[in-house]
């Protein structure tokens, strides 16, 4: 099973190292053919406007949409979250309109440009997630099919999932946090080899519980 990391720009190497640390083979994705045979894709942080241009230039928009629509897990972190949103506050064109949310870019303003905090994120277990925010976006509208995975203490939404698409405002890969990548790897394994009945009775096949 191989998971790609979109490698046009941004915090690419940290995601590659995190995948290696959990025993998953990473693939750097720069061209449409790099997507072949992938079971999941990570869209890293960086600058979403730059990513938008590079995605268009390298013809990646349609093949990445097709991969997502086939059910492969997609993880967007920070700018990666912005580019999977259906709506970007202020009217920027969406890049991969996969997630029924509205995101606001640079939502923390200058005073709080970057910060670290511990967040409750029950889908990866009881231990809080160490979250690094860097000029981070926030989710200001959550559509009906979208599950909230984490909030800040002031209740603002910073992590969501809609079926196979997970988006988070922060950078787990910069904090040595591997559980979100493990979650994506579990979903990718499930996508690669679907097992009958695993989604029955509302149980999440990729729920990691307490073990990690
Ligand atoms: N501020 C960036 C943007 O709007 C995102 C920052 C990040 O990915 N760390 O695209």
């Amino acid at each position: 099973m191989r998971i790609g990391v979109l490698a046009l720009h941004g915090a690419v190497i940290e995601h590659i190292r995190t995948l290696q640390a959990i025993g998953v083979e990473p693939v750097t994705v720069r061209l449409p053919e790099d997507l072949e045979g992938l079971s999941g894709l990570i869209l890293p942080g960086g600058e979403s406007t730059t990513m938008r241009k590079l995605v268009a230039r390298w013809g990646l928009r349609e093949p990445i949409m097709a991969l997502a629509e086939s059910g492969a897990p997609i993880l967007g972190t920070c700018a990666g979250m912005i580019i999977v949103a259906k709506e970007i506050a202020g009217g920027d064109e969406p890049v991969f309109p996969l997630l029924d949310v509205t995101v606001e870019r640079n939502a923390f303003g200058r005073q709080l440009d970057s910060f670290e905090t511990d967040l409750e994120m029950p889908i990866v277990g009881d231990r809080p997630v160490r979250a690094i925010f860097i000029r981070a976006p926030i989710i200001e509208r959550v559509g009906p099919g979208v599950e909230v995975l984490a909030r800040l203490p002031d209740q603002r939404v910073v992590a969501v999932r809609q079926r196979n698409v997970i988006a988070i405002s922060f950078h787990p890969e910069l904090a040595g946090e591997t559980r979100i990548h493990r979650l994506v790897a579990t979903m990718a394994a499930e996508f690669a080899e679907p097992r009958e009945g695993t989604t029955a009775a509302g149980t999440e096949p990729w729920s990691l519980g307490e073990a990690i």
Side-chain angles (χ1 to χ4, degrees):
M1 180 190 71
R2 298 179 310 144
I3 294 182
V5 180
L6 185 66
L8 302 173
H9 158 81
V12 175
I13 189 72
E14 294 83 358
H15 282 291
I16 287 178
R17 291 199 181 120
T18 307
L19 289 173
Q20 285 167 336
I22 62 166
V24 172
E25 187 188 341
V27 175
T28 52
V29 173
R30 294 196 178 89
L31 296 170
E33 48 265 41
D34 299 330
L35 294 163
E36 269 161 42
L38 294 186
S39 300
L41 181 65
I42 296 177
L43 307 172
E47 205 51 48
S48 55
T49 47
T50 304
M51 284 188 201
R52 171 186 288 103
K53 286 185 200 141
L54 294 174
V55 162
R57 183 181 305 164
W58 297 107
L60 284 159
R61 192 175 176 282
E62 272 68 40
I64 288 178
M65 283 300 284
L67 181 70
E69 281 163 0
S70 74
I74 308 290
L75 170 65
T77 61
C78 203
M81 175 167 106
I82 298 166
I83 64 175
V84 294
K86 283 197 173 160
E87 198 178 2
I88 303 170
D92 285 352
E93 275 298 300
V95 181
F96 305 115
L98 292 165
L99 196 62
D100 186 13
V101 297
T102 306
V103 295
E104 183 193 343
R105 298 179 60 203
N106 303 323
F108 296 94
R110 284 204 183 158
Q111 299 267 301
L112 215 59
D113 211 302
S114 301
F115 62 100
E116 275 186 61
T117 189
D118 287 329
L119 290 177
E120 300 294 327
M121 194 165 171
I123 197 169
V124 298
D126 280 351
R127 186 162 50 81
V129 166
R130 188 75 189 152
I132 301 182
F133 291 80
I134 304 170
R135 300 185 61 231
I138 203 93
I139 294 176
E140 56 172 43
R141 182 192 62 88
V142 177
V146 178
E147 178 189 351
V148 173
L149 301 181
R151 294 176 186 268
L152 287 169
D154 66 9
Q155 298 304 305
R156 285 188 288 175
V157 175
V158 291
V160 292
R161 177 168 74 97
Q162 186 171 17
R163 290 188 297 273
N164 54 317
V165 181
I166 295 179
I168 56 184
S169 301
F170 51 89
H171 290 266
E173 78 288 358
L174 299 180
E177 172 60 67
T178 58
R179 289 173 295 170
I180 296 165
H181 291 72
R182 284 180 204 267
L183 170 64
V184 172
T186 307
M187 290 164 69
E190 195 66 40
F191 169 75
E193 279 179 68
R195 279 172 287 135
E196 262 178 53
T198 46
T199 54
T203 52
E204 295 288 16
W206 47 73
S207 176
L208 299 179
E210 306 299 306
I212 291 169

Short mmCIF file of all heavy atoms in Angstrom, two decimals, residues 44-49 77-80 82 105-106 134-137 171, ligand 1:
data_model
loop_
_atom_site.label_atom_id
_atom_site.label_comp_id
_atom_site.label_asym_id
_atom_site.label_seq_id
_atom_site.Cartn_x
_atom_site.Cartn_y
_atom_site.Cartn_z
N PRO A 44 -0.22 18.78 1.69
CA PRO A 44 0.48 19.40 2.82
C PRO A 44 0.12 20.87 3.00
O PRO A 44 -0.61 21.46 2.20
CB PRO A 44 1.95 19.26 2.42
CG PRO A 44 1.93 19.26 0.94
CD PRO A 44 0.63 18.63 0.52
N GLY A 45 0.70 21.44 4.07
CA GLY A 45 0.59 22.88 4.28
C GLY A 45 1.56 23.62 3.38
O GLY A 45 2.47 23.03 2.79
N GLY A 46 1.35 24.90 3.30
CA GLY A 46 2.17 25.75 2.42
C GLY A 46 1.38 27.00 2.15
O GLY A 46 0.80 27.58 3.07
N GLU A 47 1.30 27.36 0.90
CA GLU A 47 0.50 28.54 0.53
C GLU A 47 -0.53 28.07 -0.49
O GLU A 47 -0.18 27.59 -1.58
CB GLU A 47 1.46 29.59 -0.06
CG GLU A 47 0.96 30.99 0.04
CD GLU A 47 0.51 31.41 1.44
OE1 GLU A 47 1.25 31.17 2.42
OE2 GLU A 47 -0.59 31.97 1.56
N SER A 48 -1.79 28.19 -0.12
CA SER A 48 -2.84 27.60 -0.97
C SER A 48 -2.91 28.26 -2.34
O SER A 48 -3.25 27.62 -3.33
CB SER A 48 -4.19 27.67 -0.26
OG SER A 48 -4.48 28.98 0.14
N THR A 49 -2.57 29.56 -2.41
CA THR A 49 -2.64 30.24 -3.72
C THR A 49 -1.57 29.66 -4.65
O THR A 49 -1.81 29.48 -5.85
CB THR A 49 -2.42 31.75 -3.54
OG1 THR A 49 -1.30 31.95 -2.68
CG2 THR A 49 -3.64 32.41 -2.93
N THR A 77 -3.75 19.16 5.29
CA THR A 77 -3.32 19.87 6.50
C THR A 77 -3.07 21.33 6.14
O THR A 77 -2.35 21.64 5.20
CB THR A 77 -2.03 19.26 7.10
OG1 THR A 77 -0.97 19.35 6.16
CG2 THR A 77 -2.23 17.81 7.47
N CYS A 78 -3.67 22.22 6.90
CA CYS A 78 -3.49 23.66 6.77
C CYS A 78 -3.82 24.13 5.35
O CYS A 78 -4.99 24.09 4.97
CB CYS A 78 -2.08 24.05 7.23
SG CYS A 78 -2.02 25.77 7.73
N ALA A 79 -2.86 24.55 4.54
CA ALA A 79 -3.21 24.94 3.16
C ALA A 79 -3.91 23.78 2.45
O ALA A 79 -4.79 23.99 1.61
CB ALA A 79 -1.97 25.36 2.40
N GLY A 80 -3.53 22.55 2.81
CA GLY A 80 -4.20 21.37 2.24
C GLY A 80 -5.67 21.32 2.60
O GLY A 80 -6.49 20.81 1.84
N ILE A 82 -7.45 24.09 3.02
CA ILE A 82 -8.07 25.14 2.21
C ILE A 82 -8.39 24.60 0.81
O ILE A 82 -9.47 24.86 0.27
CB ILE A 82 -7.13 26.37 2.12
CG1 ILE A 82 -6.89 26.95 3.52
CG2 ILE A 82 -7.68 27.42 1.16
CD1 ILE A 82 -5.74 27.94 3.60
N ARG A 105 -9.15 31.69 5.47
CA ARG A 105 -7.68 31.65 5.50
C ARG A 105 -7.13 32.60 6.56
O ARG A 105 -7.75 33.60 6.88
CB ARG A 105 -7.12 32.06 4.13
CG ARG A 105 -7.53 31.13 3.01
CD ARG A 105 -6.96 31.61 1.69
NE ARG A 105 -5.51 31.67 1.73
CZ ARG A 105 -4.78 32.44 0.93
NH1 ARG A 105 -5.36 33.22 0.03
NH2 ARG A 105 -3.46 32.43 1.03
N ASN A 106 -5.95 32.27 7.06
CA ASN A 106 -5.22 33.15 8.00
C ASN A 106 -6.14 33.67 9.09
O ASN A 106 -6.16 34.87 9.40
CB ASN A 106 -4.59 34.31 7.23
CG ASN A 106 -3.65 33.82 6.13
OD1 ASN A 106 -2.95 32.83 6.30
ND2 ASN A 106 -3.66 34.47 5.00
N ILE A 134 0.12 27.33 12.02
CA ILE A 134 0.99 28.32 11.37
C ILE A 134 0.16 29.06 10.32
O ILE A 134 -0.23 28.49 9.30
CB ILE A 134 2.20 27.64 10.68
CG1 ILE A 134 3.00 26.80 11.69
CG2 ILE A 134 3.09 28.70 10.03
CD1 ILE A 134 4.06 25.92 11.05
N ARG A 135 -0.14 30.30 10.60
CA ARG A 135 -1.00 31.11 9.70
C ARG A 135 -2.17 30.25 9.22
O ARG A 135 -2.46 30.14 8.04
CB ARG A 135 -0.19 31.66 8.53
CG ARG A 135 0.96 32.56 8.99
CD ARG A 135 1.69 33.21 7.83
NE ARG A 135 0.78 34.03 7.08
CZ ARG A 135 0.62 33.97 5.76
NH1 ARG A 135 1.31 33.14 5.04
NH2 ARG A 135 -0.23 34.77 5.16
N ALA A 136 -2.82 29.68 10.19
CA ALA A 136 -3.75 28.58 9.91
C ALA A 136 -5.14 29.08 9.52
O ALA A 136 -5.56 30.15 9.94
CB ALA A 136 -3.85 27.69 11.14
N PRO A 137 -5.84 28.26 8.76
CA PRO A 137 -7.24 28.55 8.47
C PRO A 137 -8.15 28.00 9.57
O PRO A 137 -7.71 27.21 10.42
CB PRO A 137 -7.47 27.77 7.17
CG PRO A 137 -6.54 26.60 7.28
CD PRO A 137 -5.35 27.07 8.07
N HIS A 171 -0.67 21.35 11.93
CA HIS A 171 0.40 20.52 11.35
C HIS A 171 0.79 19.41 12.34
O HIS A 171 1.67 19.62 13.18
CB HIS A 171 1.64 21.37 11.09
CG HIS A 171 1.50 22.34 9.97
ND1 HIS A 171 1.89 22.06 8.68
CD2 HIS A 171 1.01 23.59 9.95
CE1 HIS A 171 1.64 23.10 7.90
NE2 HIS A 171 1.10 24.05 8.65
N1 LIG B 1 -1.79 30.77 5.24
C1 LIG B 1 -1.66 29.68 4.28
C2 LIG B 1 -2.73 29.82 3.20
O1 LIG B 1 -3.61 30.59 3.33
C3 LIG B 1 -1.73 28.35 4.96
C4 LIG B 1 -0.59 28.20 5.95
C5 LIG B 1 -0.10 26.79 6.14
O2 LIG B 1 -0.36 25.89 5.36
N2 LIG B 1 0.69 26.60 7.17
O3 LIG B 1 -2.65 29.15 2.20
#
